[in-house]
Amino acid sequence: MLKQILGEFLKLDGVTAAVVAGRDGFVIESVVAGDVDVEALGAMASTGMGTSEAMSDELGKGEMNQMLIELENGPILLSPLSEDELIAIVANANVNVGRIRYELKKNRDRIIAAL
């Protein structure tokens, strides 16, 4: 079920990977439509999320909802799903980031239920 839900992200123009990983960095499930090292992505996403959450705690800004990393060749969107899992969505340049964010918000509960 989780793989099917993640596959829906690949139907969005420009999305090349959707990965659910544990906070330990190990990949739980992934779908890929390109050349993405999902194991490395899971590990780095976990580290980046942890660092960003620590910064949020230090600054007293509350819980993190999403993290958008804008890169030359396309964005990576990271979002916590629970205390133990996160999702990373990788896309090409010129992707509609708002659409990815909308689909993630719409499907968050389904993803969590499938875990």
XYZ file of all heavy atoms in Angstrom:
848
model
N 0.821 -1.203 0.000
C 0.000 0.000 0.000
C 0.863 1.265 0.000
O 0.586 2.199 -0.727
C -0.925 -0.033 1.222
C -1.836 1.145 1.322
S -3.035 1.117 0.001
C -4.158 2.328 0.539
N 1.922 1.280 0.841
C 2.792 2.453 0.924
C 3.455 2.737 -0.418
O 3.510 3.883 -0.859
C 3.835 2.270 2.025
C 4.800 3.428 2.253
C 4.050 4.723 2.549
C 5.766 3.098 3.384
N 3.927 1.697 -1.092
C 4.579 1.882 -2.390
C 3.613 2.500 -3.400
O 3.996 3.353 -4.188
C 5.138 0.564 -2.900
C 6.095 0.718 -4.053
C 6.831 -0.580 -4.282
C 8.084 -0.391 -5.077
N 9.230 0.110 -4.338
N 2.347 2.086 -3.361
C 1.343 2.646 -4.271
C 1.116 4.128 -4.003
O 1.010 4.932 -4.939
C 0.023 1.903 -4.126
C 0.062 0.486 -4.648
C -1.229 -0.251 -4.352
O -1.902 0.024 -3.368
N -1.569 -1.201 -5.207
N 1.044 4.484 -2.731
C 0.834 5.898 -2.377
C 2.017 6.728 -2.840
O 1.857 7.794 -3.438
C 0.601 6.065 -0.868
C -0.665 5.322 -0.434
C 0.499 7.550 -0.502
C -0.822 5.180 1.071
N 3.235 6.239 -2.586
C 4.425 6.969 -3.030
C 4.475 7.074 -4.546
O 4.911 8.088 -5.094
C 5.691 6.295 -2.500
C 5.885 6.304 -0.988
C 7.161 5.562 -0.611
C 5.890 7.720 -0.435
N 3.995 6.044 -5.219
C 3.968 6.062 -6.680
C 3.130 7.190 -7.244
O 3.383 7.674 -8.347
N 2.136 7.634 -6.485
C 1.305 8.752 -6.929
C 2.125 10.035 -7.068
O 1.816 10.886 -7.902
C 0.141 8.949 -5.972
C -0.850 7.804 -5.995
C -1.952 7.920 -4.961
O -2.212 9.041 -4.464
O -2.558 6.878 -4.646
N 3.190 10.178 -6.275
C 4.048 11.357 -6.394
C 4.814 11.345 -7.719
O 5.078 12.397 -8.291
C 5.018 11.464 -5.221
C 4.358 11.881 -3.939
C 4.005 10.939 -2.989
C 4.067 13.210 -3.687
C 3.387 11.316 -1.808
C 3.444 13.606 -2.516
C 3.102 12.647 -1.580
N 5.159 10.146 -8.198
C 5.889 10.062 -9.467
C 5.022 10.475 -10.653
O 5.546 10.773 -11.722
C 6.415 8.646 -9.697
C 7.536 8.180 -8.785
C 8.025 6.808 -9.215
C 8.691 9.170 -8.743
N 3.719 10.513 -10.470
C 2.815 10.954 -11.534
C 2.837 12.470 -11.705
O 2.368 12.994 -12.712
C 1.390 10.482 -11.248
C 1.253 8.975 -11.309
C -0.143 8.540 -10.946
C -0.253 7.025 -10.936
N -1.573 6.563 -10.497
N 3.387 13.171 -10.714
C 3.511 14.630 -10.818
C 4.682 14.959 -11.728
O 5.763 14.384 -11.588
C 3.738 15.250 -9.433
C 2.660 14.996 -8.385
C 3.093 15.567 -7.045
C 1.335 15.591 -8.824
N 4.484 15.883 -12.653
C 5.551 16.288 -13.571
C 6.793 16.720 -12.809
O 6.723 17.613 -11.960
C 5.095 17.468 -14.447
C 4.439 17.014 -15.733
O 4.505 15.814 -16.034
O 3.856 17.862 -16.418
N 7.913 16.094 -13.108
C 9.189 16.511 -12.537
C 9.623 15.775 -11.288
O 10.775 15.887 -10.887
N 8.748 15.011 -10.650
C 9.145 14.275 -9.450
C 9.890 13.017 -9.875
O 9.414 12.251 -10.714
C 7.926 13.926 -8.568
C 8.333 13.026 -7.408
C 7.282 15.196 -8.044
N 11.081 12.810 -9.300
C 11.903 11.668 -9.683
C 12.044 10.622 -8.582
O 12.482 9.514 -8.850
C 13.313 12.127 -10.108
O 13.915 12.846 -9.036
C 13.248 13.000 -11.344
N 11.703 10.968 -7.338
C 11.792 9.985 -6.263
C 10.944 10.425 -5.078
O 10.811 11.614 -4.802
C 13.239 9.800 -5.810
N 10.389 9.442 -4.394
C 9.696 9.661 -3.128
C 10.181 8.550 -2.195
O 10.058 7.365 -2.523
C 8.184 9.612 -3.302
N 10.739 8.942 -1.069
C 11.382 7.992 -0.159
C 10.877 8.213 1.255
O 10.900 9.339 1.756
C 12.924 8.167 -0.192
C 13.596 7.245 0.816
C 13.457 7.922 -1.593
N 10.427 7.145 1.895
C 10.104 7.185 3.319
C 11.256 6.496 4.036
O 11.641 5.373 3.685
C 8.768 6.479 3.629
C 8.557 6.360 5.132
C 7.615 7.235 2.999
N 11.807 7.194 5.008
C 12.941 6.662 5.770
C 12.679 6.817 7.258
O 11.894 7.673 7.676
C 14.224 7.397 5.389
N 13.352 5.991 8.015
C 13.303 6.131 9.458
C 14.230 7.240 9.894
O 15.109 7.671 9.143
N 14.069 7.694 11.109
C 14.950 8.737 11.630
C 16.380 8.233 11.781
O 17.301 9.018 11.935
C 14.435 9.260 12.974
C 13.109 9.999 12.872
C 13.237 11.208 11.941
N 11.996 11.937 11.889
C 11.821 13.128 12.458
N 12.787 13.730 13.098
N 10.654 13.710 12.362
N 16.555 6.910 11.696
C 17.894 6.330 11.724
C 18.558 6.374 10.352
O 19.709 6.005 10.191
C 17.848 4.894 12.235
C 16.935 3.990 11.404
O 16.404 4.442 10.361
O 16.749 2.830 11.808
N 17.815 6.832 9.330
C 18.364 6.969 7.985
C 18.121 5.782 7.081
O 18.413 5.840 5.887
N 17.578 4.696 7.619
C 17.332 3.528 6.787
C 16.010 3.676 6.025
O 15.002 4.088 6.586
C 17.308 2.250 7.635
C 18.664 1.865 8.140
C 19.013 2.104 9.467
C 19.602 1.284 7.296
C 20.262 1.766 9.934
C 20.856 0.940 7.762
C 21.194 1.183 9.084
N 16.047 3.322 4.741
C 14.880 3.463 3.869
C 13.842 2.395 4.218
O 14.159 1.213 4.331
C 15.293 3.356 2.384
C 14.076 3.313 1.476
C 16.203 4.515 2.014
N 12.609 2.841 4.365
C 11.484 1.947 4.630
C 10.818 1.558 3.316
O 10.525 0.398 3.079
C 10.474 2.627 5.582
C 11.140 2.863 6.936
C 9.198 1.796 5.708
C 10.370 3.778 7.860
N 10.595 2.545 2.451
C 9.994 2.293 1.134
C 10.389 3.427 0.206
O 10.597 4.555 0.648
C 8.474 2.212 1.243
C 7.784 1.734 -0.015
C 8.176 0.321 -0.426
O 7.588 -0.631 0.104
O 9.085 0.199 -1.286
N 10.472 3.116 -1.082
C 10.832 4.161 -2.046
C 10.280 3.826 -3.420
O 10.022 2.662 -3.730
C 12.353 4.309 -2.131
O 12.930 3.125 -2.658
N 10.092 4.867 -4.209
C 9.792 4.747 -5.629
C 10.712 5.735 -6.341
O 10.923 6.842 -5.868
C 8.304 5.027 -5.961
C 7.402 3.951 -5.387
C 7.876 6.383 -5.481
N 11.259 5.290 -7.466
C 12.244 6.109 -8.160
C 11.986 6.051 -9.659
O 11.712 4.987 -10.204
C 13.675 5.601 -7.868
C 14.709 6.430 -8.584
C 13.947 5.593 -6.379
N 12.087 7.202 -10.304
C 11.950 7.276 -11.760
C 13.168 7.969 -12.347
O 13.075 8.781 -13.240
C 10.680 8.024 -12.140
N 14.310 7.665 -11.818
C 15.540 8.298 -12.278
C 16.716 7.684 -11.560
O 16.603 6.628 -10.933
N 17.827 8.364 -11.633
C 19.053 7.865 -11.022
C 19.231 8.511 -9.651
O 19.870 9.548 -9.526
C 20.243 8.191 -11.933
C 21.533 7.571 -11.425
O 21.459 6.570 -10.688
O 22.609 8.096 -11.771
N 18.622 7.911 -8.634
C 18.693 8.433 -7.271
C 19.152 7.308 -6.349
O 18.569 6.225 -6.355
C 17.315 8.962 -6.792
C 17.374 9.423 -5.353
C 16.829 10.086 -7.690
N 20.198 7.549 -5.591
C 20.669 6.590 -4.589
C 19.794 6.763 -3.355
O 20.039 7.637 -2.527
C 22.136 6.859 -4.266
C 22.720 5.875 -3.267
O 21.951 5.157 -2.580
O 23.959 5.837 -3.147
N 18.747 5.938 -3.234
C 17.775 6.123 -2.163
C 18.369 5.852 -0.785
O 17.949 6.457 0.197
C 16.493 5.287 -2.384
C 15.743 5.773 -3.607
C 16.785 3.814 -2.463
N 19.338 4.957 -0.698
C 19.964 4.684 0.603
C 20.728 5.919 1.098
O 20.626 6.285 2.268
C 20.892 3.471 0.508
C 20.202 2.187 0.075
C 19.082 1.741 1.001
O 19.161 1.982 2.223
O 18.113 1.136 0.499
N 21.470 6.545 0.202
C 22.194 7.767 0.572
C 21.216 8.889 0.886
O 21.404 9.643 1.845
C 23.140 8.186 -0.557
N 20.148 8.995 0.096
C 19.139 10.026 0.333
C 18.503 9.856 1.703
O 18.336 10.818 2.447
C 18.063 9.991 -0.763
C 16.888 10.949 -0.576
C 17.349 12.400 -0.547
C 15.858 10.728 -1.666
N 18.145 8.629 2.064
C 17.547 8.372 3.374
C 18.455 8.799 4.508
O 18.021 9.452 5.463
N 19.732 8.459 4.391
C 20.695 8.814 5.434
C 20.877 10.323 5.540
O 20.861 10.893 6.639
C 22.033 8.132 5.151
N 21.039 10.984 4.396
C 21.255 12.433 4.417
C 19.997 13.187 4.833
O 20.081 14.201 5.527
C 21.755 12.905 3.057
C 23.171 12.437 2.764
S 23.818 13.040 1.203
C 22.968 11.973 0.057
N 18.829 12.705 4.418
C 17.572 13.348 4.799
C 17.391 13.283 6.311
O 16.975 14.259 6.948
C 16.397 12.683 4.088
N 17.721 12.149 6.893
C 17.613 11.990 8.342
C 18.533 12.963 9.068
O 18.124 13.627 10.034
C 17.957 10.554 8.724
O 17.972 10.405 10.122
N 19.757 13.077 8.593
C 20.720 13.992 9.204
C 20.269 15.441 9.053
O 20.293 16.216 10.012
C 22.114 13.814 8.562
O 22.533 12.459 8.773
C 23.130 14.765 9.172
N 19.839 15.812 7.846
C 19.379 17.179 7.605
C 18.158 17.535 8.434
O 18.050 18.632 8.984
N 17.243 16.595 8.538
C 16.033 16.823 9.328
C 16.400 17.013 10.797
O 15.898 17.916 11.456
C 15.079 15.636 9.169
C 13.797 15.770 9.923
S 12.507 16.680 9.069
C 12.282 15.707 7.623
N 17.283 16.165 11.306
C 17.691 16.281 12.705
C 18.352 17.616 13.005
O 18.067 18.249 14.025
N 19.210 18.062 12.104
C 19.883 19.343 12.288
C 18.884 20.494 12.263
O 18.950 21.412 13.089
C 20.950 19.542 11.194
O 21.880 18.453 11.262
C 21.676 20.856 11.353
N 17.957 20.449 11.332
C 16.955 21.515 11.227
C 16.034 21.539 12.439
O 15.653 22.607 12.922
C 16.135 21.339 9.953
O 16.971 21.485 8.834
N 15.671 20.378 12.938
C 14.826 20.324 14.124
C 15.565 20.844 15.351
O 14.984 21.535 16.196
C 14.319 18.897 14.356
C 13.267 18.504 13.346
C 12.838 17.056 13.444
O 13.652 16.200 13.845
O 11.677 16.794 13.094
N 16.860 20.549 15.438
C 17.656 21.073 16.555
C 17.726 22.597 16.489
O 17.634 23.282 17.521
C 19.066 20.469 16.524
N 17.874 23.151 15.290
C 17.898 24.595 15.118
C 16.560 25.196 15.530
O 16.508 26.221 16.228
C 18.222 24.951 13.659
C 18.306 26.440 13.403
S 18.900 26.898 11.752
C 18.047 25.793 10.666
N 15.467 24.559 15.134
C 14.137 25.031 15.501
C 13.955 25.026 17.016
O 13.417 25.986 17.586
C 13.075 24.142 14.847
O 11.797 24.521 15.282
N 14.404 23.961 17.657
C 14.315 23.884 19.121
C 15.127 24.997 19.776
O 14.654 25.658 20.701
C 14.814 22.525 19.625
C 13.859 21.392 19.305
O 12.687 21.665 18.957
O 14.289 20.220 19.398
N 16.325 25.190 19.279
C 17.225 26.192 19.863
C 16.643 27.600 19.736
O 16.771 28.428 20.630
C 18.592 26.130 19.171
C 19.621 27.077 19.733
C 20.037 26.760 21.159
O 19.989 25.579 21.565
O 20.396 27.709 21.890
N 15.962 27.856 18.632
C 15.394 29.187 18.388
C 13.973 29.322 18.927
O 13.375 30.396 18.844
C 15.404 29.493 16.887
C 16.788 29.578 16.245
C 16.663 29.717 14.737
C 17.582 30.730 16.836
N 13.421 28.231 19.445
C 12.079 28.268 20.000
C 11.007 28.501 18.947
O 10.008 29.170 19.205
N 11.196 27.926 17.770
C 10.257 28.144 16.656
C 9.206 27.053 16.511
O 8.432 27.065 15.563
C 11.037 28.259 15.338
C 11.871 29.518 15.246
C 10.964 30.712 15.194
C 11.699 31.968 14.827
N 10.785 33.093 14.728
N 9.169 26.096 17.423
C 8.163 25.042 17.355
C 8.572 23.899 16.454
O 9.717 23.794 16.029
N 7.603 23.045 16.161
C 7.870 21.860 15.360
C 8.044 22.194 13.890
O 7.381 23.082 13.366
C 6.723 20.860 15.505
C 6.638 20.237 16.882
C 5.581 19.156 16.959
O 5.327 18.483 15.939
O 5.015 18.997 18.049
N 8.926 21.447 13.233
C 9.135 21.640 11.807
C 8.046 20.898 11.029
O 7.728 19.749 11.336
C 10.494 21.125 11.367
C 10.690 21.345 9.890
S 12.267 20.915 9.174
C 12.700 19.419 9.927
N 7.473 21.541 10.024
C 6.460 20.929 9.171
C 7.054 20.420 7.870
O 6.748 19.337 7.423
C 5.350 21.927 8.867
C 4.619 22.346 10.116
O 4.296 21.532 10.952
N 4.379 23.634 10.244
N 7.878 21.254 7.242
C 8.505 20.889 5.976
C 9.819 21.622 5.844
O 10.009 22.691 6.425
C 7.629 21.260 4.784
C 6.445 20.390 4.590
C 5.678 20.748 3.330
O 5.922 21.777 2.698
N 4.747 19.901 2.960
N 10.675 21.038 5.026
C 11.957 21.659 4.735
C 12.145 21.576 3.221
O 12.031 20.498 2.641
C 13.053 20.878 5.456
C 14.420 21.428 5.328
S 15.473 20.527 6.494
C 16.708 19.973 5.383
N 12.369 22.704 2.590
C 12.566 22.750 1.145
C 14.013 23.132 0.870
O 14.475 24.187 1.305
C 11.624 23.769 0.490
C 11.772 23.948 -1.010
C 11.410 22.671 -1.756
C 10.910 25.102 -1.483
N 14.699 22.258 0.162
C 16.081 22.522 -0.225
C 16.061 22.846 -1.715
O 15.758 21.991 -2.541
C 16.982 21.301 0.046
C 16.845 20.867 1.506
C 18.431 21.605 -0.305
C 17.372 19.485 1.786
N 16.337 24.092 -2.048
C 16.319 24.521 -3.441
C 17.717 24.378 -4.020
O 18.652 25.033 -3.567
C 15.836 25.963 -3.548
C 14.384 26.118 -3.148
C 13.863 27.525 -3.351
O 14.529 28.335 -4.042
O 12.791 27.821 -2.811
N 17.844 23.525 -5.006
C 19.124 23.244 -5.636
C 19.093 23.645 -7.111
O 18.012 23.797 -7.687
C 19.451 21.745 -5.503
C 19.477 21.229 -4.061
C 19.468 19.716 -4.025
C 20.672 21.789 -3.335
N 20.237 23.798 -7.701
C 20.342 24.234 -9.087
C 19.521 23.360 -10.044
O 18.872 23.859 -10.960
C 21.816 24.222 -9.514
C 22.068 24.660 -10.932
C 23.543 24.622 -11.294
O 24.389 24.334 -10.411
O 23.845 24.878 -12.458
N 19.543 22.055 -9.823
C 18.864 21.138 -10.742
C 17.554 20.582 -10.201
O 17.058 19.573 -10.687
C 19.806 19.989 -11.123
C 20.987 20.493 -11.919
O 20.843 21.318 -12.807
N 22.173 20.027 -11.576
N 17.000 21.245 -9.198
C 15.699 20.843 -8.686
C 15.663 20.730 -7.179
O 16.696 20.556 -6.533
N 14.477 20.829 -6.607
C 14.327 20.839 -5.153
C 14.236 19.445 -4.537
O 13.944 18.460 -5.216
C 13.007 21.580 -4.960
C 12.207 21.186 -6.159
C 13.213 21.104 -7.286
N 14.486 19.413 -3.239
C 14.214 18.242 -2.410
C 13.344 18.738 -1.269
O 13.681 19.717 -0.606
C 15.505 17.618 -1.851
C 16.426 17.186 -2.997
C 15.168 16.426 -0.945
C 17.809 16.758 -2.546
N 12.226 18.080 -1.079
C 11.304 18.437 -0.012
C 11.381 17.358 1.064
O 11.270 16.178 0.753
C 9.877 18.526 -0.556
C 8.861 19.006 0.467
C 8.491 20.438 0.160
C 7.639 18.139 0.442
N 11.608 17.766 2.305
C 11.657 16.847 3.438
C 10.546 17.210 4.402
O 10.280 18.378 4.634
C 12.993 16.950 4.176
C 14.262 16.719 3.371
C 15.484 16.964 4.248
C 14.291 15.319 2.804
N 9.924 16.181 4.969
C 8.863 16.431 5.931
C 8.793 15.282 6.926
O 8.862 14.114 6.534
C 7.530 16.571 5.203
O 6.501 16.902 6.101
N 8.671 15.612 8.219
C 8.489 14.540 9.195
C 7.103 13.920 9.028
O 6.143 14.616 8.706
C 8.621 15.259 10.536
C 8.303 16.678 10.257
C 8.686 16.935 8.831
N 7.023 12.615 9.223
C 5.734 11.931 9.206
C 5.311 11.586 10.630
O 4.128 11.592 10.946
C 5.817 10.657 8.364
C 6.071 10.868 6.875
C 6.366 9.539 6.187
C 4.886 11.562 6.225
N 6.292 11.263 11.454
C 6.053 10.907 12.853
C 7.364 11.125 13.605
O 8.322 11.647 13.037
C 5.614 9.449 12.961
O 6.705 8.588 12.672
N 7.407 10.688 14.829
C 8.661 10.780 15.580
C 9.727 9.873 14.986
O 10.913 10.098 15.191
C 8.434 10.395 17.043
C 7.703 11.436 17.844
C 7.617 11.061 19.313
O 8.444 10.252 19.782
O 6.711 11.574 19.983
N 9.292 8.840 14.251
C 10.224 7.833 13.762
C 10.455 7.818 12.259
O 11.372 7.158 11.782
C 9.740 6.440 14.193
C 9.678 6.293 15.703
O 10.590 6.781 16.392
O 8.694 5.707 16.190
N 9.607 8.496 11.469
C 9.734 8.446 10.023
C 9.646 9.830 9.387
O 9.049 10.738 9.946
C 8.621 7.576 9.406
C 8.689 6.118 9.764
C 7.829 5.762 10.961
O 7.015 6.591 11.390
O 7.978 4.638 11.473
N 10.224 9.908 8.185
C 10.182 11.135 7.392
C 9.997 10.768 5.930
O 10.170 9.616 5.548
C 11.465 11.944 7.583
C 12.776 11.278 7.147
C 13.114 11.628 5.702
C 13.904 11.705 8.051
N 9.642 11.759 5.137
C 9.536 11.556 3.694
C 10.422 12.565 2.988
O 10.552 13.717 3.430
C 8.071 11.666 3.197
C 7.971 11.283 1.710
C 7.487 13.051 3.460
C 6.558 11.081 1.214
N 11.069 12.104 1.922
C 11.881 12.970 1.065
C 11.354 12.829 -0.355
O 11.158 11.714 -0.841
C 13.349 12.565 1.125
N 11.110 13.964 -0.996
C 10.642 13.973 -2.376
C 11.648 14.760 -3.203
O 11.951 15.913 -2.889
C 9.235 14.583 -2.487
C 8.252 13.763 -1.632
C 8.791 14.635 -3.946
C 6.875 14.353 -1.510
N 12.163 14.116 -4.238
C 13.181 14.712 -5.106
C 12.541 15.054 -6.438
O 11.772 14.261 -6.991
C 14.352 13.719 -5.333
C 15.416 14.333 -6.221
C 14.947 13.271 -4.004
N 12.862 16.237 -6.963
C 12.262 16.666 -8.226
C 13.288 17.366 -9.110
O 14.365 17.753 -8.654
C 11.086 17.595 -7.953
N 12.927 17.519 -10.362
C 13.749 18.253 -11.320
C 13.474 19.752 -11.212
O 12.494 20.170 -10.592
C 13.424 17.795 -12.750
C 13.844 16.366 -12.999
O 14.851 15.910 -12.488
N 13.061 15.650 -13.782
N 14.324 20.524 -11.872
C 14.117 21.972 -11.918
C 12.790 22.276 -12.606
O 12.270 21.479 -13.378
C 15.269 22.634 -12.676
N 12.235 23.406 -12.309
C 10.974 23.889 -12.889
C 9.753 23.064 -12.506
O 8.726 23.145 -13.169
C 11.077 23.991 -14.417
C 12.180 24.915 -14.846
O 12.384 25.974 -14.261
N 12.926 24.520 -15.861
N 9.859 22.280 -11.443
C 8.715 21.527 -10.960
C 7.783 22.475 -10.204
O 8.219 23.512 -9.711
C 9.174 20.359 -10.044
C 9.687 20.886 -8.719
C 8.074 19.353 -9.834
N 6.531 22.127 -10.124
C 5.567 22.923 -9.376
C 5.644 22.484 -7.902
O 4.988 21.517 -7.497
C 4.161 22.707 -9.939
C 3.123 23.558 -9.256
O 3.301 24.025 -8.133
N 2.000 23.751 -9.931
N 6.437 23.181 -7.116
C 6.648 22.832 -5.710
C 5.339 22.916 -4.924
O 5.079 22.098 -4.045
C 7.738 23.728 -5.070
C 7.863 23.447 -3.576
C 9.069 23.510 -5.766
N 4.506 23.872 -5.252
C 3.219 24.007 -4.576
C 2.367 22.760 -4.745
O 1.686 22.327 -3.815
N 2.414 22.163 -5.920
C 1.643 20.943 -6.175
C 2.173 19.786 -5.330
O 1.400 19.006 -4.783
C 1.696 20.599 -7.661
C 0.924 19.349 -8.028
C -0.576 19.547 -7.770
N -1.292 18.299 -7.841
C -1.972 17.881 -8.889
N -2.032 18.633 -9.977
N -2.591 16.727 -8.863
N 3.492 19.670 -5.212
C 4.081 18.624 -4.371
C 3.647 18.821 -2.923
O 3.229 17.877 -2.255
C 5.623 18.619 -4.468
C 6.072 18.288 -5.887
C 6.209 17.617 -3.473
C 7.553 18.471 -6.115
N 3.725 20.049 -2.450
C 3.327 20.340 -1.070
C 1.856 20.020 -0.837
O 1.477 19.466 0.189
C 3.621 21.804 -0.735
C 5.124 22.101 -0.709
C 5.396 23.524 -0.365
N 4.998 23.706 1.044
C 4.967 24.872 1.654
N 5.279 25.967 1.003
N 4.606 24.963 2.907
N 1.015 20.358 -1.796
C -0.417 20.067 -1.698
C -0.656 18.556 -1.626
O -1.414 18.074 -0.781
C -1.164 20.671 -2.891
C -2.592 20.205 -2.982
C -3.569 20.735 -2.143
C -2.966 19.217 -3.893
C -4.885 20.300 -2.204
C -4.275 18.765 -3.964
C -5.227 19.315 -3.117
O -6.514 18.863 -3.173
N -0.025 17.811 -2.525
C -0.211 16.357 -2.561
C 0.313 15.703 -1.279
O -0.288 14.747 -0.787
C 0.470 15.749 -3.790
C -0.183 16.122 -5.096
C -1.611 15.622 -5.245
O -1.951 14.565 -4.688
O -2.404 16.298 -5.937
N 1.395 16.221 -0.746
C 1.926 15.676 0.502
C 0.954 15.931 1.651
O 0.653 15.026 2.436
C 3.297 16.269 0.822
C 3.942 15.777 2.110
C 4.057 14.254 2.132
C 5.304 16.417 2.283
N 0.435 17.136 1.724
C -0.525 17.454 2.782
C -1.779 16.592 2.649
O -2.298 16.069 3.639
C -0.890 18.940 2.721
C -1.814 19.386 3.828
C -2.066 20.876 3.781
C -2.980 21.294 4.928
N -3.226 22.723 4.939
N -2.252 16.426 1.425
C -3.459 15.644 1.164
C -3.266 14.161 1.510
O -4.194 13.510 1.983
C -3.843 15.796 -0.313
C -5.106 15.072 -0.714
C -5.462 15.366 -2.152
C -4.775 14.366 -3.039
N -5.173 14.445 -4.443
N -2.062 13.636 1.288
C -1.812 12.202 1.454
C -1.073 11.823 2.734
O -0.822 10.645 2.958
C -1.036 11.673 0.243
C -1.894 11.640 -0.985
O -2.851 10.885 -1.053
N -1.570 12.476 -1.960
N -0.722 12.803 3.561
C 0.056 12.532 4.771
C -0.574 11.445 5.643
O 0.087 10.496 6.056
C 0.246 13.809 5.593
C 0.970 13.572 6.912
C 1.133 14.848 7.711
N 1.885 15.865 6.992
C 3.207 15.871 6.831
N 3.916 14.901 7.325
N 3.793 16.826 6.162
N -1.866 11.564 5.926
C -2.530 10.584 6.795
C -2.536 9.195 6.168
O -2.383 8.194 6.866
C -3.955 11.030 7.128
C -3.985 12.238 8.056
O -2.982 12.494 8.757
O -5.022 12.933 8.078
N -2.707 9.114 4.851
C -2.660 7.823 4.175
C -1.278 7.194 4.264
O -1.151 5.986 4.458
C -3.028 7.981 2.692
C -4.477 8.304 2.442
C -4.764 8.494 0.952
N -4.439 7.305 0.196
C -3.953 7.337 -1.052
N -3.746 8.480 -1.662
N -3.700 6.220 -1.684
N -0.241 8.009 4.131
C 1.129 7.506 4.227
C 1.385 6.981 5.633
O 1.910 5.879 5.812
C 2.144 8.611 3.844
C 1.996 8.992 2.378
C 3.567 8.152 4.145
C 2.732 10.256 1.974
N 1.008 7.766 6.619
C 1.223 7.361 8.015
C 0.459 6.081 8.330
O 0.989 5.168 8.974
C 0.831 8.508 8.971
C 1.792 9.679 8.795
C 0.810 8.031 10.423
C 1.349 10.964 9.472
N -0.778 5.968 7.848
C -1.583 4.759 8.088
C -0.951 3.528 7.432
O -1.068 2.422 7.949
C -3.000 4.967 7.579
N -0.269 3.727 6.300
C 0.351 2.612 5.583
C 1.658 2.163 6.221
O 2.179 1.094 5.879
C 0.577 2.996 4.128
N 2.199 2.979 7.111
C 3.446 2.587 7.780
C 3.170 1.492 8.740
O 3.194 0.847 9.378
C 4.084 3.774 8.500
C 4.685 4.810 7.578
C 5.038 6.077 8.337
C 5.951 4.246 6.947
